[in-house]
Amino acid sequence: MKKSVLFMLINMNVGGTEKALLNMISEMPREKFEITLFMLEKYGGFLDSIPSYVKVEYLKGYDKIKQQIKQPMHITALEFLKKGNFLKGFIIIFLFLISKITKEKSLYYRYVLHDYPVLKNQYDIAVAYAGPMDFISYFIAYKTKSKRKIQWVHFDVNKIGFNTNFASKIYGKFDKIFVVSKEARKKLINKIPDLEDKSEVFKNIISPGMIFDEAKKGKGFTDHFEGLRILTVGRLSPEKGQDVAIKVLARLITHGFKVKWYCLGEGSSRKTYENLIEEYNLKDHFILLGADPNPYPYIKHCDIYVQPSRHEGYCITLAEARFLKKPIVTTDFIGVKEQIRDGKTGLIVRFDENEIFNGVIKLINNKELCTEFSNNLSRDGFVHTTEIKKLL
């Protein structure tokens, strides 16, 4: 009999978490799983990538409570008071004071969701997949019916806004906590030792068949550049480190290398990076390609792949570059040593402009090393179906 699985996430934005979920779904045997994606909002460049056999549902009325969830509670209270809704305003002020004492917002989520019934369908497995995001964790814990509940942790909890008090309280409602790398799991247990027994590593999955197929499609590079192409894939945001990549490229150009650095992704830091590109006179050299749900033609045809992140959990784009046997320079974030053997399948450097610059220079000047990395990567194993068994 099929197991019914509900995955809850924010939306299908083009990002690593969403890609990891799509990869996992593509490897989940259809004869064993009946899958539902439950999203807060109908949005994202990966919406069209959801397989047709997957059920898709949305949280009705989320648009009415979205601001209450995202903005500070005292701002929400003031807005209600200004509108003359004194009862709601004073209730939220009271809950705000409680949250200051408890240092977590579960009572507030309970109030915001008090008109929302528990989902009608019962599932074998209900998964708080996004984040960790407190609202989604709360919803899965209290507003779903399932035999088994799973919380996913995609990031280094020391580097994101992780509420230890909330997690200590709510994660007890879950049967299993999946964390995407060994190092990330250690960080979680250091914060909440009680989670050691119920937490387990579940590495992000890549889908070999899908990557091969998609790499043959799509536009890829269209500028007919004949020099060396460096590629970085990731949303435009501070933690991904594109600001440092821009500075590294400026030094490469100064040293006379015929090179372009392409950045595939979109995000809140685009304007900041555009200004930085202008400042370093790199408009024709550092190319912001925007978001593309199919990065594989770009990865396949780049010369060097660089992951300059300040922090990650288990970097899915790095895994994809590994699978396509690219010479890689990556910073030393959590989980990276579970993917790259330094000096054997890539270069791991500190998050530092000089370190990244020297790593890129090393690959540019050593074609034999690039070939060695690619050959070693071709012998690496890749995680897929073995991880899926952990859901059964």
Side-chain angles (χ1 to χ4, degrees):
M1 181 178 289
K2 289 185 179 182
K3 283 189 178 291
S4 57
V5 186
L6 177 81
F7 292 101
M8 187 172 182
L9 63 164
I10 301 169
N11 53 42
M12 284 306 291
N13 191 32
V14 178
T17 298
E18 296 79 11
K19 170 60 70 66
L21 178 57
L22 288 173
N23 288 346
M24 181 165 62
I25 287 172
S26 71
E27 296 296 319
M28 293 172 69
R30 294 174 64 176
E31 69 275 10
K32 293 183 179 180
F33 295 97
E34 184 177 82
I35 301 167
T36 300
L37 295 191
F38 185 62
M39 289 179 269
L40 298 182
E41 52 191 2
K42 188 176 183 179
Y43 171 80
F46 278 146
L47 283 174
D48 292 338
S49 301
I50 300 172
S52 59
Y53 58 86
V54 172
K55 297 179 183 178
V56 180
E57 299 177 2
Y58 301 94
L59 180 59
K60 293 179 181 177
Y62 176 69
D63 57 318
K64 297 176 182 176
I65 62 172
K66 182 176 179 178
Q67 279 301 105
Q68 296 178 44
I69 293 165
K70 295 185 70 174
Q71 69 185 6
M73 292 169 62
H74 66 281
I75 300 297
T76 300
L78 288 173
E79 288 178 353
F80 279 119
L81 291 173
K82 287 178 181 178
K83 293 176 183 177
N85 194 332
F86 298 108
L87 179 59
K88 276 194 174 183
F90 286 124
I91 288 174
I92 293 173
I93 288 173
F94 173 73
L95 293 172
F96 171 65
L97 296 174
I98 294 294
S99 73
K100 286 294 183 183
I101 296 170
T102 61
K103 294 182 172 56
E104 56 93 13
K105 295 167 63 175
S106 58
L107 280 178
Y108 179 63
Y109 294 140
R110 179 180 178 182
Y111 174 72
V112 170
L113 289 169
H114 71 278
D115 288 332
Y116 285 75
V118 173
L119 296 184
K120 290 181 180 180
N121 292 337
Q122 177 156 339
Y123 299 90
D124 291 303
I125 306 169
V127 183
Y129 191 77
M133 180 191 178
D134 290 354
F135 178 77
I136 284 179
S137 299
Y138 184 91
F139 194 97
I140 290 293
Y142 290 102
K143 294 292 184 176
T144 63
K145 294 178 290 186
S146 66
K147 298 175 183 176
R148 191 167 175 236
K149 295 187 178 183
I150 297 172
Q151 171 69 53
W152 230 278
V153 176
H154 290 273
F155 306 111
D156 177 351
V157 294
N158 287 345
K159 302 291 186 180
I160 62 170
F162 182 74
N163 190 314
T164 304
N165 293 301
F166 175 88
S168 297
K169 178 179 180 180
I170 301 300
Y171 284 16
K173 304 290 183 181
F174 290 84
D175 300 285
K176 181 68 72 173
I177 314 295
F178 283 140
V179 191
V180 295
S181 72
K182 294 177 183 177
E183 287 184 86
R185 179 175 177 266
K186 287 179 183 177
K187 295 291 182 68
L188 176 67
I189 293 170
N190 283 341
K191 280 189 173 289
I192 311 176
D194 289 347
L195 295 181
E196 182 167 10
D197 290 340
K198 67 166 56 179
S199 64
E200 184 177 354
V201 173
F202 192 119
K203 294 181 179 179
N204 284 339
I205 290 170
I206 62 169
S207 176
M210 185 268 290
I211 291 177
F212 275 129
D213 290 343
E214 293 297 308
K216 299 173 185 176
K217 304 174 185 176
K219 57 183 181 180
F221 300 107
T222 59
D223 58 359
H224 307 293
F225 179 60
E226 294 181 356
L228 185 139
R229 287 190 169 106
I230 300 173
L231 178 68
T232 293
V233 181
R235 66 184 176 277
L236 304 181
S237 58
E239 67 269 20
K240 297 297 183 180
Q242 292 99 338
D243 54 326
V244 175
I246 293 169
K247 297 172 184 177
V248 170
L249 178 61
R251 293 174 63 179
L252 292 172
I253 298 297
T254 300
H255 281 70
F257 291 100
K258 188 179 180 182
V259 59
K260 282 189 178 183
W261 198 313
Y262 302 82
C263 188
L264 192 62
E266 197 53 82
S268 59
S269 294
R270 170 176 273 274
K271 187 62 179 177
T272 300
Y273 295 158
E274 286 175 342
N275 292 338
L276 200 57
I277 290 167
E278 188 74 28
E279 178 184 339
Y280 282 91
N281 196 27
L282 294 174
K283 189 174 182 181
D284 296 326
H285 300 279
F286 197 96
I287 313 299
L288 299 178
L289 294 167
D292 191 325
N294 182 8
Y296 306 115
Y298 300 93
I299 299 174
K300 182 179 180 180
H301 293 112
C302 75
D303 296 293
I304 296 172
Y305 184 84
V306 179
Q307 194 68 49
S309 302
R310 287 177 167 86
H311 59 85
E312 295 278 353
Y314 184 93
C315 184
I316 192 72
T317 54
L318 183 63
E320 292 165 341
R322 289 170 52 226
F323 183 77
L324 289 170
K325 304 175 185 63
K326 295 285 99 177
I328 292 168
V329 177
T330 179
T331 48
D332 190 9
F333 48 77
I334 281 230
V336 75
K337 291 184 177 70
E338 295 167 49
Q339 295 206 57
I340 295 291
R341 288 175 287 137
D342 186 30
K344 300 295 183 181
T345 57
L347 296 177
I348 301 176
V349 301
R350 288 187 297 110
F351 180 80
D352 174 84
E353 181 184 325
N354 289 327
E355 290 266 329
I356 298 170
F357 173 77
N358 290 333
V360 173
I361 288 288
K362 187 172 183 177
L363 290 188
I364 291 175
N365 290 333
N366 195 334
K367 300 299 182 186
E368 292 78 13
L369 185 61
C370 291
T371 301
E372 180 186 343
F373 286 173
S374 296
N375 290 338
N376 289 341
L377 284 170
S378 68
R379 292 188 284 270
D380 268 8
F382 287 87
V383 181
H384 52 288
T385 53
T386 55
E387 294 291 89
I388 298 294
K389 293 177 182 178
K390 295 177 182 178
L391 287 172
L392 293 171

